[in-house]
């Protein structure tokens, strides 16, 4: 049995701005608080793990955005000078902490929304950017271990699974096991389109469907085949192949790709 997937959590960073200019977020307001506590920009910078220059740049940016000093610097004296927050600086820290508390309460209320985990997982999948045109998401439904390569079966929809062949080392490093969420990527150029019944192919992944869309190019065409279950497969083939197969929207077709052409990944 695989361990349960940890729930997704809502997190957010809060930033304040004045007249369209960013004053800063938690880091900058923490710096202001340390300047107030230490009475020194250099000491506050050390506590923050910042250089003195970066701390002063941050202070300058906040003062400029506010249109008035948030930090007042005193020069000279036995201690070599220091820094203190102005009344406006204290006011902004208090306001930021007030808004941040409200922000946390808002995120916590959203976190309690029923079905949020599933929706956030879908949003994350939609936002994933790769060069592979075909992206399938599901869970590992079977694993077959070999001497060098392992065979991974990923169920992407009820009754619809694809097979990938990857090294045993990759299976271990990805933490793949039955029930683990995973995604499979297949380049459109690795997909073969076929027509006709009774033919037999060596490719492990074979899905019959209906041509949904054909986008013509100067040399190659992009063919999208609906294989059911809300899934489609994109193939890039030559225009001559499109003509030879007499492909058109609404016609039946079979898409094929080798198990070795499938790239397997897992959500972070």
């Amino acid at each position: 049995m695989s361990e349960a997937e940890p729930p997704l959590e809502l997190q957010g960073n809060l930033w304040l701005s004045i007249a369209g200019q960013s004053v800063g977020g938690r880091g900058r307001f923490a710096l202001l608080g340390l300047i107030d506590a230490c009475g020194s920009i250099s000491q506050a910078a050390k506590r923050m793990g910042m250089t003195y220059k970066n701390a002063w740049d941050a202070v300058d940016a906040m003062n400029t955005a506010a249109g008035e000093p948030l930090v007042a610097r005193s020069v000279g004296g036995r201690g070599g000078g220091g820094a203190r927050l102005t009344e406006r600086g204290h006011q902004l820290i208090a306001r930021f902490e007030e808004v941040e508390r409200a922000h946390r309460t808002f995120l916590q209320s959203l976190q309690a929304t029923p079905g949020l985990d599933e929706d956030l997982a879908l949003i994350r999948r939609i936002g994933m950017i790769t060069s592979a045109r075909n992206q399938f998401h599901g869970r590992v439904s079977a694993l077959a271990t070999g001497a060098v390569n392992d065979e991974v079966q990923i169920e992407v929809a009820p009754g619809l699974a694809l097979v990938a062949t990857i090294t045993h080392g990759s299976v271990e490093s990805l933490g793949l096991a039955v029930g683990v969420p995973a995604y499979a990527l297949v380049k459109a150029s690795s997909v073969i389109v076929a027509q006709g019944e009774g033919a037999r192919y060596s490719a492990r992944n074979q899905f019959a469907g209906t041509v949904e869309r054909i986008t013509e190019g100067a040399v190659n065409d992009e063919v999208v085949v609906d294989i059911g279950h809300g899934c489609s497969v994109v193939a890039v083939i030559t225009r001559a192949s499109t003509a030879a197969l007499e492909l058109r929207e609404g016609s039946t077709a079979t898409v094929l790709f080798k198990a070795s052409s499938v790239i397997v990944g897992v959500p972070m």
Side-chain angles (χ1 to χ4, degrees):
M1 295 292 292
S2 61
E3 296 183 0
E5 182 184 8
L8 293 172
E9 296 183 1
L10 278 178
Q11 295 184 357
N13 294 320
L14 182 65
W15 283 75
L16 298 184
S17 62
I18 297 177
Q21 295 191 57
S22 175
V23 176
R26 166 48 52 191
R28 284 189 172 179
F29 282 96
L31 176 62
L32 289 181
L34 285 173
I35 291 173
D36 187 42
C38 299
S40 164
I41 293 178
S42 62
Q43 291 300 316
K46 289 179 181 178
R47 295 273 295 275
M48 287 287 293
M50 303 172 64
T51 65
Y52 179 73
K53 180 181 183 304
N54 286 343
W56 249 118
D57 287 345
V59 169
D60 281 341
M62 288 186 282
N63 286 344
T64 300
E68 60 182 289
L70 303 180
V71 176
R73 184 184 182 189
S74 58
V75 182
R78 179 176 297 180
R84 62 177 179 80
L85 292 190
T86 64
E87 182 179 350
R88 181 60 167 151
H90 283 292
Q91 183 185 49
L92 275 181
I93 287 180
R95 183 67 68 191
F96 181 83
E97 292 176 347
E98 177 184 346
V99 175
E100 194 174 47
R101 285 193 297 271
H103 185 238
R104 284 198 299 269
T105 301
F106 170 69
L107 291 179
Q108 289 168 359
S109 67
L110 284 182
Q111 188 74 54
T113 304
L116 181 67
D117 284 355
E118 291 79 4
D119 291 342
L120 289 179
L122 176 57
I123 291 171
R124 181 172 60 179
R125 293 198 298 267
I126 291 173
M128 186 175 69
I129 301 174
T130 74
S131 62
R133 290 299 309 278
N134 298 292
Q135 303 177 19
F136 303 94
H137 301 266
R139 291 181 180 271
V140 176
S141 54
L143 271 174
T145 304
V148 178
N149 293 326
D150 292 354
E151 188 177 271
V152 182
Q153 180 175 290
I154 301 175
E155 185 176 25
V156 297
L160 181 64
L162 55 83
V163 177
T165 300
I166 61 177
T167 65
H168 184 66
S170 295
V171 170
E172 290 185 337
S173 64
L174 292 173
L176 295 178
V178 173
V180 170
Y183 57 83
L185 308 177
V186 184
K187 292 183 177 180
S189 58
S190 298
V191 178
I192 299 169
V193 181
Q195 267 199 334
E197 298 180 356
R200 300 169 66 184
Y201 307 95
S202 62
R204 290 297 308 277
N205 298 290
Q206 305 178 27
F207 305 101
T210 303
V211 176
E212 181 180 358
R213 185 174 68 257
I214 298 176
T215 303
E216 297 182 350
V219 178
N220 296 322
D221 290 348
E222 182 182 89
V223 181
V224 181
V225 179
D226 182 354
I227 61 174
H229 306 277
C231 298
S232 61
V233 176
V234 180
V236 173
I237 61 176
T238 64
R239 296 204 65 187
S241 296
T242 302
L245 294 171
E246 298 182 349
L247 295 177
R248 63 186 184 280
E249 293 183 4
S251 64
T252 59
T254 298
V255 288
L256 312 95
F257 49 91
K258 295 180 179 179
S260 59
S261 297
V262 181
I263 300 172
V264 178
V266 294
M268 294 297 291

